[in-house]
Amino acid sequence: MKSLLLSLVLGLVCAQEPQPEQDPFELSGKWITSYIGSSDLEKIGENAPFQVFMRSIEFDDKESKVYLNFFSKENGICEEFSLIGTKQEGNTYDVNYAGNNKFVVSYASETALIISNINVDEEGDKTIMTGLLGKGTDIEDQDLEKFKEVTRENGIPEENIVNIIERDDCPAK
């Protein structure tokens, strides 16, 4: 009887645990950068390489690739980038852009992606970044709170979070 009760209690506890979010491969498509956090604000400031305005992400599990399309601005001029990254162990992706980047989708829902990235630039300097991407310009409060939590977990203070959507005047795709 005790084992039956224990099984029932464990079943209820497991049922109440947060379930894994949607598989990122199912979330390929249009994504817009809303917020970026960084351990180095210079990397995400005006004319900086990681002030990126994402347009789409396509995850290709079969080929172990990720396809990124985004804009970056220098002196007010939008430059489009299309990059291909390679899937590594643990759903980590390697992408070459302004050095070497290793990123992982830390959280995914139907309306938001939170990405954690480690960049090692050409000088060997390491920068930790997080990004909140949305399907449009409106971000759900719970997604923004989750982004702030992931950003803090990566050792980035909240004052190092930049609202990117307000700066995005690059062409829509």
Side-chain angles (χ1 to χ4, degrees), residues 7-165:
S7 296
L8 179 62
V9 169
L10 284 174
L12 288 172
V13 168
C14 290
Q16 292 176 354
E17 283 184 4
Q19 299 301 310
E21 299 299 331
Q22 197 168 354
D23 184 345
F25 300 110
E26 296 174 9
L27 295 173
S28 291
K30 179 182 174 183
W31 290 102
I32 305 295
T33 311
S34 295
Y35 293 89
I36 298 177
S38 178
S39 60
D40 180 355
L41 279 173
E42 289 183 19
K43 296 276 185 157
I44 61 173
E46 211 168 307
N47 296 318
F50 287 97
Q51 181 176 271
V52 298
F53 308 104
M54 189 63 66
R55 293 300 182 254
S56 67
I57 301 176
E58 298 293 330
F59 295 96
D60 185 343
D61 196 32
K62 186 176 179 183
E63 298 293 324
S64 297
K65 301 283 185 196
V66 63
Y67 301 90
L68 307 169
N69 180 261
F70 62 91
F71 287 90
S72 184
K73 283 199 299 191
E74 188 166 342
N75 298 320
I77 298 171
C78 297
E79 182 179 355
E80 187 173 12
F81 291 86
S82 293
L83 304 176
I84 300 173
T86 305
K87 183 179 178 183
Q88 305 298 314
E89 288 184 36
N91 287 329
T92 299
Y93 295 87
D94 283 346
V95 179
N96 287 317
Y97 172 75
N100 185 288
N101 296 276
K102 293 189 182 305
F103 80 87
V104 64
V105 175
S106 300
Y107 169 85
S109 71
E110 289 186 22
T111 59
L113 283 181
I114 298 175
I115 295 174
S116 298
N117 183 52
I118 298 174
N119 168 262
V120 178
D121 66 18
E122 293 84 1
E123 288 80 39
D125 294 328
K126 178 178 152 182
T127 304
I128 299 170
M129 290 172 270
T130 55
L132 174 59
L133 311 176
K135 286 292 188 182
T137 57
D138 294 330
I139 294 296
E140 300 287 330
D141 289 341
Q142 69 268 14
D143 293 331
L144 181 56
E145 287 309 311
K146 181 68 175 176
F147 169 70
K148 290 177 180 179
E149 177 186 320
V150 169
T151 300
R152 286 189 302 269
E153 288 171 357
N154 277 280
I156 301 168
E158 278 192 44
E159 56 267 19
N160 284 22
I161 294 174
V162 175
N163 183 331
I164 295 296
I165 198 75

